[in-house]
Amino acid sequence: MFRRRKSPNNFKRRKRTASTEGLYSRSPPRTREEKDARTVERVNRVLGWDLPVPATEPKERSSSEEPLLGKQEGSSDEESEVEGGASVSEENPFSDSKEIDESDSASEGNPFSDSNEVEDQSSAEDENSSEDSDMVGQRNVAHAEESAEVEVLFANLEKLKGLTKKIQGSMTRLETNGKVVKEAIGPIYNNTQTLQVTNRNIDRINEAINKIRQPLDARVREEAIIRAGPRNTGLSDFLSSLKRIHMALAELNVTNLRSNQQVASDFANLLSQGNIQLQDLFLSILKENVQAVEPLHYTTKQLPFPIITHDNSEQLAQISSFISTSSNSSHSSQSETPTAPIYADIRGPYLAASLQNLATASINTTKKKSPDAVYRQGTNGIGMYANAMEGIFIAEYDNIRRIFPREEWGFVFDITCRKPLAEFAKTLRDLNMHIKSNLTTDCFLAYEVIDIVTPLSGRLDSRTGELKGHFLDAVKPIRETAKSSLADLLDDVRRKIQAIMVLPTDGAAIPITAETMTRLQEMTAYTRPLQSIITSLGDGNWTSPPSTGSSSSTPTFKSIDVGADGRQLLANYIVDTIDILLSNLETKARFLLKGKTVLGVFIANNVSVVDRMIRSSDLLSLISASTTASRLESWRKKGISLYLEAWRDPSSSLLDVQYTNRSMRPPSGSAGIIDSAAIIKGLSSKDKDAIKEKFKAFNASFEELISKHKSLNMEREVRSALAREVQGMIEPLYGRFWDRYHEIDKGKGKYVKFDKGSLAAQLANLG
């Protein structure tokens, strides 16, 4: 079982020299009983056991068995032990024939010897083994020793079995005692765990009870704060109290205990009372800043309109935020802040009251001293009204931004401005009624309103993102009136010309021409709104008034022109107006005026007025020069042509008949000198009488036309133009005729009243 570690001493032990063999004599063989007794003694001494030693009889030793030194009998126990050990080692049956291996096997197989004893015994055995010669005796001794060792081992085994049984008995008793202890202590342990869990549950219940009792204990304190109101306790403390009440109420609602229903109801009442007090405070703070202001003071001096003070706006913001949060948590479907209507109800009338005077002034300034007076730009108070509205609305939007959250700015601003916008829309409706009743003279007020309100709506929309739709709805009636005014102005020209019963006999221009051109000149001050209006109508659609309810009718393809140039359309409208004016004047003049001379002068005078008023105003920049020149030139030529038709009579008297086949052929061109006497001499009496009649007819017609020309009322440009045209037509004809026939009365002046110089002077005086 146990194997001894080999040591170098074993090798030394096997190499014993002969010198050691001489120290001792060869031991005689011993009896089996002695060997067994010595083996048991050695085992008892080494292991400390108490095995019985077998009884042996002493045997006398022979002299040959005595040691050489004579000390065999006197050898100590130690030497005996060594010899015994050596014998056991030498007679090991499990070793081979070699003595070294036998010694090692015996040493390694003995589990009961320690290392020192085994080494000493091995040394003794090596020394004695060299001297033993009888192998048979040694084998017997070895077998006897092995038998003794086996008996010892069996005895130890029995002892171990006894110990094992004792240990098993002890284990059985321990297990039995453990079961008894477990059965006794187990219920106690389980009860202890149950008690610990129960204790923890009780602690938690106590904590929950204390937590539930906290709101109950705080009810008295919070109720005192709510009853006192925000002004007495301070807004911050009041809001904090309401927040605590709100949290406590939420916790009570979560527990849903019947015992807490009354407390929850009390907290709900406190929260409702607190919200009511906050709304009252919100209302009272707003009322501190609702005194109507005089808007002209701020607009004329370009000062910003007053806003709510910083402290008040902070308080209003805190109140609004809390009420909004409380409302959203209790009514999730409510989208608007409860304070928004309150704000609108207070600030809306303030805005309307501040602008009321300007609304009244806008209506009062429409009154005219003369019903035919044309509206002049800027004379109505609508401009100041719009400027004040823009300034006060922007100031109000700044107030809203500091009080309400961002997502509610537009909504609150919209409902706050509804009342002043309603008043503004009413003012525009009153102005529209006035414009309709005086459309031909006050249509320009409609253009001005559109020109003011449309940019105003755009500016406010860019600043606030709101109100553009409200302004466009308010100005829509006036816009429709402005659309219809374009066709109505053309019809007004027609109606006024048709209503004329008498035209000036001197061919002077009538007032309607100047009135129409003045109206067109006024339009140049409203090019922006007119371009928008005309673009919405479409090119040429102004010739007839729009049908009733056109605002809701489906627009035609002609009226929808995405790429239309509003400026060019306005120029086309002005040119159409001039054409309608001159064509209707011509028609009326042909019916009322007698004589083409007056008719021509009349047309030329009106064309001159039109041309002069175009050149002296912004119409010239609006209408292209080529278009204006071509249109007016055609009318100018028509008037001159009609006027010159009267001068065809005297010019026809200056025409004569010449015969080129006769002997006295007249010289061609002007290079030759014409002999009037010779020409007269060659005429027959009949031809001479005809020449005399021609001079007489020319003189009469010429003097009549000169007199009539001087009696006509012509514009300066017209008079000079007509004089040039008459001179260019009469003077060449008369000079030729005079050169040939002025000797018909031999200088008496009876038939030839004008020489070429005097005729030229007469014609020059026409201009």
Side-chain angles (χ1 to χ4, degrees):
M1 182 180 295
F2 299 97
R3 186 174 182 84
R4 181 178 57 81
R5 182 177 60 86
K6 293 182 179 181
S7 175
N9 294 328
N10 295 333
F11 179 75
K12 295 178 180 180
R13 208 168 39 243
R14 287 191 298 268
K15 299 298 181 178
R16 298 293 184 183
T17 59
S19 60
T20 57
E21 294 178 358
L23 296 176
Y24 302 97
S25 64
R26 183 178 303 269
S27 297
R30 302 188 183 95
T31 61
R32 183 179 183 86
E33 289 78 4
E34 291 177 353
K35 292 181 179 179
D36 291 340
R38 293 181 65 180
T39 300
V40 171
E41 290 176 359
R42 188 170 60 251
V43 170
N44 288 335
R45 187 174 59 253
V46 172
L47 297 178
W49 288 356
D50 190 13
L51 296 178
V53 178
T56 58
E57 294 180 0
K59 184 179 178 180
E60 294 182 358
R61 297 181 182 271
S62 60
S63 59
S64 59
E65 294 177 353
E66 294 178 357
L68 297 178
L69 299 178
K71 294 182 179 180
Q72 180 67 30
E73 293 178 355
S75 62
S76 63
D77 294 335
E78 181 179 357
E79 293 176 351
S80 299
E81 291 173 0
V82 172
E83 291 177 357
S87 299
V88 173
S89 299
E90 290 173 356
E91 296 299 327
N92 189 352
F94 301 99
S95 63
D96 54 11
S97 60
K98 294 182 180 181
E99 296 177 357
I100 298 172
D101 296 334
E102 291 173 356
S103 176
D104 294 337
S105 299
S107 300
E108 293 173 1
N110 188 2
F112 304 102
S113 61
D114 55 13
S115 61
N116 294 328
E117 292 179 352
V118 170
E119 290 179 359
D120 296 337
Q121 292 172 3
S122 297
S123 299
E125 289 172 356
D126 289 339
E127 295 173 356
N128 294 326
S129 61
S130 61
E131 297 178 357
D132 292 338
S133 60
D134 191 358
M135 298 300 296
V136 176
Q138 293 178 353
R139 291 181 186 274
N140 293 331
V141 173
H143 285 295
E145 291 178 355
E146 290 176 359
S147 298
E149 290 177 359
V150 169
E151 291 178 1
V152 171
L153 291 175
F154 276 115
N156 292 336
L157 181 61
E158 292 297 329
K159 189 176 182 179
L160 288 174
K161 288 181 179 180
L163 291 174
T164 301
K165 290 181 181 180
K166 291 180 180 180
I167 292 172
Q168 289 179 351
S170 299
M171 291 295 294
T172 302
R173 289 191 299 272
L174 286 175
E175 185 177 358
T176 303
N177 295 334
K179 290 181 180 179
V180 173
V181 172
K182 182 178 180 181
E183 291 175 358
I185 299 177
I188 299 174
Y189 177 76
N190 293 334
N191 292 336
T192 302
Q193 284 187 332
T194 304
L195 290 175
Q196 289 177 350
V197 173
T198 304
N199 189 27
R200 286 195 297 269
N201 292 336
I202 292 173
D203 292 339
R204 292 177 181 176
I205 291 173
N206 290 332
E207 292 177 359
I209 293 173
N210 293 332
K211 190 174 182 179
I212 294 174
R213 289 182 59 85
Q214 285 178 359
L216 305 181
D217 298 338
R219 180 180 59 181
V220 177
R221 182 180 70 256
E222 305 300 346
E223 183 177 4
I225 296 175
I226 300 303
R227 299 295 183 190
R231 292 189 179 276
N232 296 328
T233 60
L235 182 59
S236 299
D237 295 339
F238 190 82
L239 293 177
S240 300
S241 176
L242 287 178
K243 290 178 182 178
R244 292 192 296 269
I245 293 174
H246 188 272
M247 294 175 60
L249 181 60
E251 293 177 355
L252 291 176
N253 291 332
V254 171
T255 58
N256 199 21
L257 297 176
R258 183 176 298 178
S259 59
N260 292 338
Q261 291 181 356
Q262 182 61 38
V263 180
S265 177
D266 294 341
F267 276 157
N269 293 333
L270 287 177
L271 190 61
S272 176
Q273 293 177 8
N275 287 333
I276 293 174
Q277 291 180 356
L278 285 179
Q279 293 180 11
D280 293 340
L281 179 62
F282 190 86
L283 182 65
S284 62
I285 294 175
L286 285 177
K287 287 183 178 180
E288 296 176 1
N289 302 272
V290 293
Q291 293 78 15
V293 298
E294 179 55 47
L296 290 179
H297 171 73
Y298 300 96
T299 56
T300 55
K301 296 182 179 181
Q302 297 182 350
L303 298 175
F305 279 81
I307 59 176
I308 299 175
T309 61
H310 180 72
D311 294 339
N312 287 344
S313 63
E314 282 189 349
Q315 292 182 354
L316 292 174
Q318 292 178 1
I319 296 172
S320 176
S321 176
F322 178 83
I323 294 178
S324 177
T325 304
S326 177
S327 176
N328 291 335
S329 61
S330 59
H331 306 286
S332 58
S333 60
Q334 188 174 0
S335 59
E336 65 180 37
T337 303
T339 54
I342 300 175
Y343 186 90
D345 292 341
I346 300 300
R347 300 297 295 182
Y350 154 75
L351 299 177
S354 298
L355 298 172
Q356 182 61 46
N357 292 337
L358 293 178
T360 304
S362 299
I363 301 299
N364 294 336
T365 51
T366 58
K367 297 178 181 179
K368 300 188 295 184
K369 296 180 180 179
S370 173
D372 297 332
V374 179
Y375 175 78
R376 298 296 178 185
Q377 186 179 18
T379 57
N380 189 266
I382 189 66
M384 297 298 296
Y385 189 10
N387 291 336
M389 180 175 289
E390 180 180 4
I392 201 169
F393 278 7
I394 290 176
E396 196 61 32
Y397 186 70
D398 291 338
N399 290 332
I400 293 172
R401 289 175 58 189
R402 292 184 293 129
I403 295 174
F404 295 94
R406 184 182 183 85
E407 60 273 10
E408 297 180 2
W409 290 352
F411 170 74
V412 178
F413 185 61
D414 184 90
I415 63 175
T416 302
C417 297
R418 284 178 184 175
K419 188 174 182 62
L421 283 174
E423 186 65 26
F424 181 71
K426 179 179 179 298
T427 302
L428 293 186
R429 288 195 297 270
D430 294 341
L431 291 178
N432 188 46
M433 293 177 61
H434 170 78
I435 293 169
K436 282 185 175 181
S437 60
N438 302 274
L439 188 60
T440 57
T441 57
D442 291 347
C443 62
F444 306 105
L445 178 58
Y447 307 151
E448 182 178 10
V449 171
I450 296 172
D451 193 28
I452 291 173
V453 176
T454 303
L456 170 63
S457 65
R459 291 192 300 271
L460 284 175
D461 183 70
S462 63
R463 291 286 298 274
T464 65
E466 300 292 333
L467 306 184
K468 186 174 183 178
H470 294 290
F471 279 105
L472 295 181
D473 291 340
V475 81
K476 187 175 182 179
I478 292 184
R479 186 177 181 84
E480 295 300 324
T481 301
K483 286 183 180 180
S484 63
S485 68
L486 297 176
D488 194 79
L489 290 176
L490 298 179
D491 291 339
D492 181 67
V493 173
R494 298 187 186 99
R495 287 194 302 268
K496 286 184 177 181
I497 293 175
Q498 293 297 328
I500 295 175
M501 303 305 297
V502 178
L503 290 177
T505 56
D506 57 359
I510 58 178
I512 189 173
T513 302
E515 292 175 3
T516 304
M517 294 307 298
T518 301
R519 185 182 298 163
L520 294 178
Q521 287 178 341
E522 289 292 329
M523 284 186 175
T524 59
Y526 308 99
T527 56
R528 182 168 55 186
L530 283 173
Q531 289 178 26
S532 173
I533 294 169
I534 290 178
T535 302
S536 64
L537 285 175
D539 192 11
N541 289 341
W542 51 73
T543 55
S544 59
S547 59
T548 304
S550 61
S551 60
S552 59
S553 61
T554 303
T556 62
F557 286 103
K558 185 178 180 181
S559 64
I560 301 176
D561 188 0
V562 178
D565 184 1
R567 187 176 182 85
Q568 183 60 44
L569 293 179
L570 180 57
N572 295 343
Y573 174 79
I574 293 173
V575 173
D576 287 350
T577 303
I578 294 173
D579 284 342
I580 291 174
L581 170 67
L582 296 178
S583 61
N584 282 271
L585 285 177
E586 180 190 8
T587 302
K588 194 66 176 180
R590 286 183 183 276
F591 179 75
L592 294 178
L593 295 178
K594 304 301 181 183
K596 295 182 178 180
T597 303
V598 180
L599 177 60
V601 171
F602 178 76
I603 293 176
N605 281 334
N606 286 284
V607 171
S608 178
V609 172
V610 170
D611 184 63
R612 183 172 62 250
M613 297 188 74
I614 288 175
R615 295 180 183 279
S616 62
S617 66
D618 293 335
L619 288 172
L620 183 61
S621 62
L622 185 62
I623 306 173
S624 61
S626 59
T627 302
T628 307
S630 60
R631 292 292 186 96
L632 294 181
E633 187 63 25
S634 63
W635 284 106
R636 187 181 293 107
K637 288 181 179 180
K638 182 179 287 189
I640 293 174
S641 177
L642 290 172
Y643 177 77
L644 292 180
E645 285 185 6
W647 289 87
R648 289 194 177 96
D649 291 338
S651 61
S652 62
S653 301
L654 299 176
L655 300 177
D656 59 344
V657 179
Q658 297 181 8
Y659 299 95
T660 59
N661 59 351
R662 295 183 180 179
S663 59
M664 290 298 294
R665 179 181 177 179
S668 60
S670 59
I673 299 174
I674 300 174
D675 188 358
S676 177
I679 293 173
I680 293 297
K681 186 177 180 180
L683 295 175
S684 63
S685 57
K686 184 179 180 180
D687 292 335
K688 291 180 180 179
D689 293 338
I691 293 300
K692 291 178 181 179
E693 289 297 326
K694 287 181 178 292
F695 271 111
K696 289 172 65 176
F698 172 80
N699 293 333
S701 177
F702 181 76
E703 290 176 349
E704 181 183 359
L705 290 174
I706 290 295
S707 176
K708 191 173 185 179
H709 179 86
K710 292 181 178 180
S711 65
L712 295 175
N713 188 352
M714 301 180 188
E715 299 294 329
R716 185 175 66 254
E717 298 85 355
V718 174
R719 185 177 295 278
S720 60
L722 292 178
R724 288 194 301 272
E725 293 292 335
V726 171
Q727 187 175 7
M729 182 178 66
I730 298 298
E731 189 173 0
L733 291 175
Y734 187 81
R736 173 188 169 279
F737 195 81
W738 184 87
D739 287 340
R740 291 180 61 82
Y741 305 111
H742 66 276
E743 291 293 336
I744 193 67
D745 61 354
K746 298 180 181 180
K748 296 179 180 180
K750 182 178 180 180
Y751 301 104
V752 183
K753 291 185 177 182
F754 307 102
D755 57 9
K756 291 193 293 183
S758 60
L759 182 70
Q762 289 289 337
L763 293 175
N765 290 330
L766 294 178

